[in-house]
């Protein structure tokens, strides 16, 4: 029986028989073909797959890292965990703390979020899982600085991706892709916010694929309004519709650059309009779902292919980092609300007329 992402790949994880494994059966997410997006790239013979990380237990890839971070926190006897979050980390931390309590380990979860910038689905998750949610009057970077300081001064464990166990746990997605494809893809397209995930994937591919030339090129994409790595300097007031990547000073900045350089990849930016167009395509033309920030991977692939950066016959995996249901507001804003709000008489003939018969 599947026992979650740590026990699927224990040889690559810092666990032993004594480690209490706190799992919600994360991982084992689907890799699905995206024929419409492949066609849009206009690259001959390309194969495009989407890695559906929104299928994780709390709806984002954060669960892969959180199972490790919370297991290790419980192993050393922590009673409290804390994180700063653009939303998904808080939902995940809150859920794994609840799971730890179910297994008999008292664990309280505290989360700091930037006031007004967290999608409702994520906020409601953190709350119903029993976390103490504190909205701070600042952005993610401000909140991260506070929780880092608190974890140094008080007996409370930090579960942001600066926690090395988070990154370690997130490597499992790279192993799964290699297992599913029977090899690494040629390109991995991924949204970049705090840059922990691109760091984790690259570490995962290095673990799994011994031949350096058989590893993928890492193509990371930031939002144009929050693109510090692309610009080469901290962005004081990051802005983007993709709130999960609204980060101006990524914690894993240097590791992301190393992943880019070692893999001969790129870190580029996509505009909010490009992200939203990809978001609509993923839903309307492929039938899959994701949150706005996740669409940066597909927007980035389309941009890179327009620029001739994808060679023919390639296999490309785009990571869809989070579930579309977390952010219904953006989905509604991108749709024809006037049509949706109009009401009709409950009459068969009226409705038939509207259907064009
Ligand atoms: C956290 C998150 C990201 C960004 O990942 P980083 O590791 O911070 O670069 C992207 N998309 C979603 C949905 C996320 O939750």
């Amino acid at each position: 029986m599947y026992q979650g992402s740590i026990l699927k790949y224990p040889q690559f994880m810092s666990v032993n028989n004594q480690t209490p494994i706190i799992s919600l059966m994360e991982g084992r997410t689907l890799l699905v073909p995206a024929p419409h997006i492949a066609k849009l790239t206009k690259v001959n013979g390309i194969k495009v797959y989407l890695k559906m990380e929104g299928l994780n237990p709390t709806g984002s890839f954060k669960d892969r890292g959180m199972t490790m971070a919370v297991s290790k926190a419980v192993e050393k006897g922590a009673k409290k965990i804390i994180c700063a979050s653009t939303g998904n980390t808080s939902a995940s931390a809150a859920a794994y703390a609840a799971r730890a309590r179910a297994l008999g380990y008292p664990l309280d979860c505290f989360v700091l979020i930037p006031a007004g910038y967290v999608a409702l689905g994520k906020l409601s998750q953190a709350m119903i899982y029993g976390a103490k949610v504190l909205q701070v009057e600042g952005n993610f970077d401000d909140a991260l600085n506070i929780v880092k300081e608190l974890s140094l001064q008080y007996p409370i464990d930090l579960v942001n991706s600066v926690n090395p166990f988070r990154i370690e746990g997130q490597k499992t997605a790279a192993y799964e892709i290699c297992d599913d494809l029977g090899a690494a893809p040629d390109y991995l397209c991924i949204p970049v916010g705090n840059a922990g995930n691109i760091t984790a994937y690259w570490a995962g591919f290095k673990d799994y694929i011994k031949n350096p030339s058989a590893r993928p090129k890492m193509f990371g994409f930031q939002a144009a309004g929050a693109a510090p790595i692309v610009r080469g300097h901290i962005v004081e007031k990051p802005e983007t519709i993709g709130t999960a990547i609204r980060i101006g000073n990524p914690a894993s900045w240097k590791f992301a650059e190393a992943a880019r350089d070692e893999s001969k990849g790129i870190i580029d930016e996509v505009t909010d309009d490009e992200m939203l167009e990809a978001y609509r395509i993923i839903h309307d033309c492929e039938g899959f779902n994701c949150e706005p920030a996740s669409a940066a991977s597909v927007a980035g692939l389309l941009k890179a292919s327009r620029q001739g950066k994808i060679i023919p016959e390639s296999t490309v995996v785009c990571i869809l980092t989070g579930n579309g249901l977390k952010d219904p507001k953006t989905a509604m804003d991108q749709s024809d609300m006037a049509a949706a709000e109009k009401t009709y008489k409950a009459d068969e003939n009226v409705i038939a007329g509207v259907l064009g018969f």
Side-chain angles (χ1 to χ4, degrees):
M1 207 174 93
Y2 185 68
Q3 293 178 288
S5 56
I6 296 177
L7 293 178
K8 173 75 183 177
Y9 302 102
Q11 68 275 33
F12 298 115
M13 300 291 132
S14 304
V15 294
N16 58 43
N17 295 339
Q18 312 308 308
T19 312
I21 304 294
I22 312 298
S23 174
L24 290 164
M25 307 302 128
E26 60 295 314
R28 208 162 66 161
T29 59
L30 299 177
L31 190 65
V32 299
H36 185 86
I37 293 165
K39 207 177 300 164
L40 291 178
T41 66
K42 301 201 179 84
V43 174
N44 276 335
I46 193 174
K47 288 201 182 71
V48 178
Y49 297 91
L50 308 175
K51 177 80 167 152
M52 301 300 294
E53 288 293 278
L55 297 175
N56 276 295
T58 75
S60 85
F61 73 84
K62 299 297 199 298
D63 294 344
R64 296 178 183 276
M66 205 55 74
T67 182
M68 272 300 293
V70 172
S71 296
K72 295 302 282 186
V74 167
E75 181 177 33
K76 73 171 197 203
K79 298 284 183 284
K80 292 182 163 76
I81 56 172
I82 192 166
C83 63
S85 179
T86 59
N88 284 331
T89 298
S90 65
S92 189
Y96 282 81
R99 189 66 185 160
R101 293 193 295 272
L103 297 171
Y105 303 99
L107 190 64
D108 288 329
C109 179
F110 300 86
V111 304
L112 266 62
I113 59 171
Y117 279 91
V118 171
L120 192 60
K122 305 178 187 181
L123 186 57
S124 59
Q125 281 182 291
M127 293 171 70
I128 192 68
Y129 285 127
K132 177 92 178 139
V133 179
L134 308 171
Q135 300 211 45
V136 297
E137 295 157 1
N139 59 30
F140 170 83
D141 304 282
D142 300 323
L144 182 60
N145 286 334
I146 294 171
V147 296
K148 271 187 188 164
E149 211 39 56
L150 290 173
S151 69
L152 289 174
Q153 291 187 21
Y154 301 97
I156 188 163
D157 239 53
L158 184 63
V159 296
N160 277 107
S161 61
V162 290
N163 177 330
F165 297 121
R166 278 277 309 280
I167 307 273
E168 190 176 289
Q170 286 171 208
K171 294 188 303 181
T172 59
Y175 309 152
E176 288 177 10
I177 290 171
C178 297
D179 286 347
D180 282 353
L181 293 176
D186 300 303
Y187 301 87
L188 188 97
C189 296
I190 184 168
V192 174
N194 216 18
N197 212 23
I198 189 171
T199 301
Y201 271 91
W202 182 237
F205 287 120
K206 287 201 291 187
D207 283 347
Y208 223 61
I209 307 288
K210 288 301 162 212
N211 173 3
S213 65
R215 296 172 187 155
K217 291 184 167 48
M218 303 297 288
F219 275 30
F221 297 99
Q222 302 195 290
I229 302 177
V230 179
R231 302 291 159 79
H233 58 79
I234 292 172
V235 175
E236 294 292 345
K237 293 199 167 20
E239 279 304 340
T240 168
I241 184 110
T243 50
I245 54 173
R246 183 175 167 267
I247 293 176
N249 185 13
S252 297
W253 187 324
K254 293 287 162 247
F255 297 118
E257 288 181 335
R260 173 195 66 195
D261 297 342
E262 291 172 23
S263 73
K264 303 191 175 59
I266 60 171
I267 295 182
D268 198 0
E269 61 187 14
V270 291
T271 65
D272 278 10
D273 282 346
E274 289 171 322
M275 220 185 302
L276 287 171
E277 190 191 350
Y279 173 75
R280 286 191 301 266
I281 290 167
I282 290 160
H283 287 81
D284 190 8
C285 304
E286 295 287 4
F288 293 114
N289 95 12
C290 68
E291 61 174 275
S294 307
S297 60
V298 170
L301 167 61
L302 295 175
K303 179 176 181 185
S305 50
R306 279 196 304 275
Q307 295 172 329
K309 291 179 180 161
I310 308 287
I311 64 168
E313 311 293 329
S314 304
T315 298
V316 182
V317 171
C318 295
I319 309 302
L320 297 189
T321 45
N323 195 302
L325 296 175
K326 286 176 176 273
D327 187 356
K329 183 169 183 307
T330 302
M332 309 263 273
D333 290 347
Q334 289 303 306
S335 308
D336 184 351
M337 282 308 290
E341 278 165 1
K342 195 163 163 17
T343 60
Y344 297 93
K345 198 158 172 245
D347 179 296
E348 191 183 314
N349 293 322
V350 171
I351 303 296
V354 176
L355 299 186
F357 294 115

